[in-house]
Amino acid sequence: MRALRELQPAALAVAPWALAILVAACGVMLLFSGATPSDPMRFLWLARYTPMILIEVSHFLSSIIGLALVLVAFGLSRRLGAAWIASVLLLPAAAALALTKGFDWEESTILTVAMLALVPFRRAFPRAARLTRMEVTPGWMLSAAAAMAGAAAVGLWSFQNVDYGQKTVLGAIFNPDADAARAVRSSAAAAALLLAFGLWRMIATPAMPKVAGEDDPEFLRVRSILATAEGAEPGANLALLGDKRFLFSQSGRSFLMFGVRGRSWIAMGPPVGRRDERTELFWRFRELADAHAARPGFYALGPDDLPDLVELGFSIQKIGESATVPLASFSLEGRRRGNLRRSWRKTGEEGATFDVLSGAAVVAAMDELRAASDAWLKRQSGGEKTFSLGRFDPAYVSEFPVAVARIEGRIVAFATVWTTADHGAFSIDLMRYADDAPKDVMDFLFVELIAWGGEQGYRAFEFGMAPLAGLEHRPLAPLMSRVGNLLFARGEEIYNFQGVRRYKDKYDPVWAPRYIAAARKWAIPILLAEVGLLSSGGMAGLARRRRSDDRVAEPLRAA
């Protein structure tokens, strides 16, 4: 008994695919059985005691159920509970029909054994999605069509000596006395059902979610989920940018946000909301993308997300490291913080003051914030960003508290603040300053903001990601890691990789890896390029390079 308990997890993990293959094989068996002659002696014996109409109906329904089992097997491979229930109901029905269509007790026994094999593994099919929402892939549809074609070919070979010369096509199909007619009729019905299912799937496949904007009712759901999300990262607030599509959980208390470019569907971060619904949303996103023949990917995920990615069978690549400053241990004291302490003190001596605006105060100061933002944008040739970075839009900016630095009462620098419902961590999004702001104004703003976060009860301050940081250059490291390491070391003309890492190191952060994941490893470079294009507004935006500046600018956050 102990050995059985130890093997149970492995059995539950293998069961979905193993049982899917078993049920699909039973379906194919029924299709071939319906397309081939019955045993003459058994059929004659059965015809003595059974009404012919029952034999005809049983033969007809058996092939229909065979096709249904082939299609339901796909749901079993996806761990759908509804597919398990359908299989448990269809298999005994097919077993009974096998006896009334030709007294095929061997076929009936196989179907019964298959049903009994399914019964103990109900726990292996925990997903609650409805069977009508099952997204059958084109590959699986092609497999079902191939099974139908194979059964038809065997049937044609089996009945090649039947004389149809004196019969019309309809006469051959609807003659109740002909074994060949029964085979043709059942195969034709199954083929028609498959065609109808294929057409229905083209029409009824869940539509790709549209981009949710400020006037969209779904945006209210997004705000509601963010206000109560469990363990959400500060970057989840990118959901309010107005450029994302959303996939909501069955309960409506969680969402996954993603962007679409061509065939690439890229989720920005992990699901947001309830922790117990994360795995469900990971799977549903992959299945929805698969139903649209899209290339799914996940960007900027953390170590806690890796088990779900492995479960999905995704390939994973590290793309950099994110910096987090624990507020309890942060201090300006000590030699290592000497430069930071002097920058903060010097800016304060120049008359800078700090404040955090929220709600109506942000709206009232919007013109000043825009002036600082416009001045900053004039120094940047890349323009506004999107997807993985925020942009200055009054509706978006007013969603958050805004940390500001003032000189003589005028706002010269600001940073929008991403907060979280559980006060686990907070971060900054837009970081912009006017032309006449003090040189070290951003250091001043960060130090004061860290102190503010501690007063508000936050445990950590996230500085965002340092792209390509921490990638290995060892001979046996993945090729993409070695290429990324080379870019980090030699690619300062492309992006200030090392400068971003050095700046954040001043705050002694804890560095954690960040990953991108794709269904196929070869798709990872494509997805990385698509993220760049989504964030930069296309090829034109990506081609524009930023002008150099001796102060910290928005690439610091580098989501």
Side-chain angles (χ1 to χ4, degrees), residues 74-161:
F74 181 80
L76 292 176
S77 71
R78 290 293 188 252
R79 296 182 170 87
L80 293 183
W84 180 88
I85 294 172
S87 300
V88 169
L89 294 176
L90 289 173
L91 285 169
L97 292 173
L99 296 176
T100 55
K101 75 175 182 180
F103 200 64
D104 194 341
W105 62 267
E106 297 93 344
E107 185 177 297
S108 180
T109 301
I110 293 172
L111 293 168
T112 302
V113 170
M115 186 271 292
L116 294 175
L118 274 167
V119 170
F121 290 99
R122 178 64 182 89
R123 288 173 54 199
F125 304 91
R127 303 192 63 228
R130 297 190 300 272
L131 200 58
T132 54
R133 298 288 299 274
M134 180 178 69
E135 294 93 11
V136 181
T137 66
W140 199 271
M141 286 287 293
L142 184 62
S143 299
M148 287 291 308
V154 171
L156 181 64
W157 177 81
S158 300
F159 295 106
Q160 60 182 340
N161 294 321

Side-chain angles (χ1 to χ4, degrees), residues 131-482:
L131 200 58
T132 54
R133 298 288 299 274
M134 180 178 69
E135 294 93 11
V136 181
T137 66
W140 199 271
M141 286 287 293
L142 184 62
S143 299
M148 287 291 308
V154 171
L156 181 64
W157 177 81
S158 300
F159 295 106
Q160 60 182 340
N161 294 321
V162 175
D163 184 12
Y164 291 102
Q166 304 302 318
K167 298 179 181 179
T168 64
V169 173
L170 292 178
I173 293 176
F174 292 103
N175 180 3
D177 299 323
D179 208 12
R182 281 186 290 273
V184 172
R185 183 165 57 246
S186 59
S187 296
L193 179 62
L194 181 62
L195 176 61
F197 181 82
L199 294 174
W200 171 82
R201 180 188 176 279
M202 291 174 62
I203 298 171
T205 293
M208 180 174 63
K210 63 184 180 65
V211 175
E214 180 65 28
D215 299 328
D216 196 318
E218 299 292 8
F219 223 51
L220 299 178
R221 295 177 65 187
V222 170
R223 287 194 186 95
S224 176
I225 292 170
L226 285 172
T228 59
E230 301 173 0
E233 297 182 350
N237 288 288
L238 279 168
L240 301 176
L241 191 55
D243 66 339
K244 305 290 191 303
R245 305 172 195 266
F246 294 92
L247 182 63
F248 292 94
S249 65
Q250 295 289 337
S251 71
R253 296 173 62 185
S254 303
F255 69 78
L256 185 145
M257 55 181 165
F258 64 101
V260 173
R261 181 174 172 82
R263 289 188 56 232
S264 297
W265 288 23
I266 306 169
M268 183 63 215
V272 180
R274 290 173 45 173
R275 286 188 177 275
D276 60 350
E277 294 181 337
R278 288 163 59 94
T279 300
E280 175 72 13
L281 280 173
F282 273 122
W283 273 107
R284 285 185 57 203
F285 176 70
R286 182 178 187 184
E287 291 167 355
L288 185 64
D290 186 75
H292 289 273
R295 183 186 302 114
F298 295 91
Y299 180 71
L301 299 181
D304 292 344
D305 304 311
L306 296 189
D308 285 314
L309 299 178
V310 172
E311 181 72 15
L312 264 64
F314 272 40
S315 297
I316 303 164
Q317 174 63 47
K318 183 177 178 180
I319 54 174
E321 294 181 328
S322 63
T324 301
V325 178
L327 300 191
S329 60
F330 180 79
S331 171
L332 289 179
E333 302 300 323
R335 291 184 58 186
R336 293 193 61 184
R337 301 283 171 82
N339 291 336
L340 182 60
R341 184 171 59 250
R342 283 188 290 273
S343 296
W344 168 72
R345 183 177 296 143
K346 179 181 177 183
T347 305
E349 290 172 351
E350 293 179 22
T353 60
F354 171 82
D355 192 13
V356 176
L357 310 178
S358 60
V362 174
V363 176
M366 194 62 68
D367 289 341
E368 285 191 88
L369 299 175
R370 183 188 293 278
S373 177
D374 289 345
W376 182 87
L377 284 170
K378 288 179 181 178
R379 300 190 299 270
Q380 314 299 317
S381 56
E384 290 281 18
K385 301 302 180 185
T386 186
F387 186 65
S388 63
L389 295 166
R391 62 174 180 268
F392 191 92
D393 177 81
Y396 176 67
V397 172
S398 61
E399 296 276 0
F400 312 107
V402 178
V404 300
R406 287 190 172 98
I407 297 289
E408 298 179 351
R410 183 174 59 87
I411 296 175
V412 295
F414 73 90
T416 54
V417 182
W418 281 343
T419 58
T420 53
D422 61 0
H423 282 61
F426 74 107
S427 185
I428 33 85
D429 182 20
L430 302 180
M431 296 175 288
R432 300 184 176 183
Y433 46 84
D435 294 333
D436 57 349
K439 180 178 180 179
D440 297 320
V441 67
M442 298 312 294
D443 276 333
F444 172 81
L445 203 61
F446 294 149
V447 171
E448 293 288 349
L449 192 55
I450 288 172
W452 173 85
E455 294 170 359
Q456 299 297 313
Y458 287 94
R459 296 186 294 274
F461 176 66
E462 287 193 5
F463 257 118
M465 190 169 69
L468 304 184
L471 300 185
E472 294 288 349
H473 191 55
R474 299 174 185 272
L476 297 181
L479 176 61
M480 288 191 63
S481 293
R482 285 180 281 158

Side-chain angles (χ1 to χ4, degrees), residues 37-52:
S38 302
D39 182 276
M41 299 304 296
R42 293 184 187 182
F43 186 84
L44 290 174
W45 178 86
L46 183 67
R48 292 179 185 175
Y49 306 102
T50 306
M52 184 58 66

